[in-house]
């Protein structure tokens, strides 16, 4: 009887966990269809979906592993430049995308390997130096990246019928990429790998004492997180149509990190909420550039003060039950 009850509770919990995912899938694919009549808003939604994918990768590293990689945008840039170069050489975009993302993951893991033995502030500082080196590489290797001038008029990928993939079709591809990122993150968090990454985040020394290869699992997390960055960078370049070193500098890394912290790190839906709220601001408030930074900062300060765990973390936290006060004098006077 008790076993049957536990199975029933487990099934209900699984169904309850699938409801937010089903809602996100519905919204992600319905949004391009609803906004297809307004190309500007559809474009903003597409950029937001790319940031959702990036936020999932950053959340795996920052939220579940305890690493704050400020070279995240640089890794996305390696993929973007690789894919643009391969397509210019005659490669199909759909062959260049996995190769570019894989190259970015390998390069990011190799560059981040020295910093994986560090933790806390020292890892963040080391990753900032690596991001600076990557940005300088984008600037000075002008034969490959066109330097500070950037690469413009990046062609759209071709669809199966040979025509350029544009408009609603590209938006649906971005929806599929965002859903893919969330589904993969959920699968990782619920697996043994996710539990070990959380143990490393909580106390890496204790995790090492329990037999967990801390450096090895950090490398796995970094490789997977870099893969998220690489796929997003490969999709970003032709969607925007222009890339430059400033498209993947440290400010972009900070923005992606901010989306995770704003929404709630270490939660599945927190970074999605953070990306959905913060990514469109730079586009929707272009005419109010004097108010944009003030509003951006006010939102961040409000969440830090009112909900330090982020939006999802603040709402997901169970309310604290006050402990009833005990009158010690009454207990002493009462007869035994």
């Amino acid at each position: 009887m008790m076993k049957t009850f536990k199975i029933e509770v487990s099934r209900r919990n699984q169904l309850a966990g699938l409801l937010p995912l089903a809602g996100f899938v519905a919204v992600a694919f319905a949004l391009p269809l609803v906004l297809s009549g307004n190309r500007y808003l559809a474009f903003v939604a597409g950029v937001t979906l790319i940031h959702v994918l990036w936020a999932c990768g950053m959340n795996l590293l920052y939220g579940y592993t305890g690493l704050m990689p400020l070279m995240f945008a640089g890794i996305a840039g390696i993929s973007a430049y690789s894919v643009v170069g391969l397509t210019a050489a005659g490669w199909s975009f759909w062959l260049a995308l996995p190769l570019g993302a894989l190259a970015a993951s390998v390069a990011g893991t190799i560059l981040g390997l020295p910093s994986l033995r560090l933790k806390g502030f020292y890892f963040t500082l080391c990753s900032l130096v690596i991001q600076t080196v990557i940005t300088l590489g984008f600037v000075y290797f002008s034969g490959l990246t066109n330097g500070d001038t950037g690469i413009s008029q990046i062609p759209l990928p071709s669809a199966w019928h040979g025509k350029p993939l544009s408009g609603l079709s590209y938006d649906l591809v971005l929806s599929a990429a965002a859903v893919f990122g969330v589904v993969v993150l959920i699968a990782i968090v619920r697996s043994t790998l996710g539990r070990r990454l959380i143990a490393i985040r909580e106390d890496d020394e204790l995790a090492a004492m329990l037999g967990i290869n801390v450096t090895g699992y950090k490398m796995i997390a970094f490789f997977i997180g870099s893969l998220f960055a690489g796929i997003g960078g490969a999709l970003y370049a032709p969607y925007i149509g222009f890339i430059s070193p400033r498209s993947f500098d440290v400010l972009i890394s900070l923005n992606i990190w901010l989306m995770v912290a704003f929404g709630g790190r270490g939660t599945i839906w927190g970074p999605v909420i953070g990306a959905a709220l913060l990514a469109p601001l730079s586009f929707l408030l272009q005419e109010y550039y004097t108010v944009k930074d003030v509003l951006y900062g006010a939102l961040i300060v409000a969440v830090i003060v009112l909900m330090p765990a982020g939006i999802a973390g603040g709402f997901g936290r169970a309310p604290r039950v006050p402990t009833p006060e005990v009158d010690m004098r009454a207990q002493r006077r009462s007869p035994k």
Side-chain angles (χ1 to χ4, degrees), residues 140 221 248 253:
Y140 289 108
F248 306 102
S253 294

Side-chain angles (χ1 to χ4, degrees), residues 80-333:
Y81 279 111
S82 300
V83 170
V84 170
L86 289 173
T87 53
W91 284 59
S92 168
F93 173 81
W94 305 109
L95 291 177
L97 188 150
L99 287 177
L102 184 62
S105 296
V106 173
T109 304
I110 292 174
L111 290 173
L113 186 61
S115 62
L116 288 176
R117 293 186 178 274
L118 304 174
K119 56 184 178 180
F121 169 77
Y122 299 101
F123 174 86
T124 304
L125 184 61
C126 187
S127 68
L128 178 61
V129 173
I130 294 171
Q131 171 66 56
T132 305
V133 172
I134 294 175
T135 304
L136 290 175
F138 292 157
V139 173
Y140 289 108
F141 285 93
S142 56
L144 299 174
T145 65
N146 205 24
D148 259 331
T149 305
I151 302 175
S152 59
Q153 297 180 349
I154 299 172
L156 291 167
S158 299
W160 58 89
H161 47 70
K163 295 182 179 180
L165 188 72
S166 61
L168 178 60
S169 301
Y170 206 143
D171 293 338
L172 292 175
V173 170
L174 298 181
S175 299
V179 170
F180 169 79
V182 173
V183 169
V184 171
L185 181 62
I186 291 174
I188 292 174
V189 170
R190 293 182 178 179
S191 67
T192 303
L193 172 62
R195 290 191 289 270
R196 293 185 178 182
L197 292 179
I198 293 173
I200 292 172
R201 177 195 69 188
E202 296 299 324
D203 193 331
D204 55 355
E205 294 181 359
L206 179 59
M209 293 175 61
L210 294 174
I212 297 176
N213 186 350
V214 174
T215 303
Y217 278 101
K218 283 183 178 180
M219 287 180 62
I220 294 173
F222 206 86
F223 181 85
I224 298 174
S226 300
L227 200 61
F228 280 66
I231 295 173
L235 293 171
Y236 178 87
Y239 191 70
I240 300 297
F242 171 80
I243 56 173
S244 72
R246 306 307 169 197
S247 303
F248 306 102
D249 61 6
V250 67
L251 293 178
I252 305 300
S253 294
L254 283 171
N255 284 338
I256 299 170
W257 166 80
L258 204 54
M259 292 172 190
V260 176
F262 183 81
R265 71 172 187 137
T267 63
I268 297 295
W269 302 110
V272 176
I273 296 172
L277 292 177
L278 297 182
L281 281 184
S282 59
F283 296 95
L284 299 179
L285 299 178
Q286 283 184 348
E287 297 181 0
Y288 307 97
Y289 61 93
T290 56
V291 181
K292 180 181 66 176
D293 294 336
V294 175
L295 179 61
Y296 203 90
L299 286 173
I300 295 167
V301 171
V303 171
I304 291 174
V305 173
L306 300 177
M307 289 181 288
I311 295 175
F315 285 115
R317 185 177 299 173
R320 185 175 179 181
V321 179
T323 305
E325 297 182 1
V326 179
D327 191 348
M328 299 302 296
R329 291 178 297 178
Q331 285 188 352
R332 290 175 183 174
R333 293 174 183 174

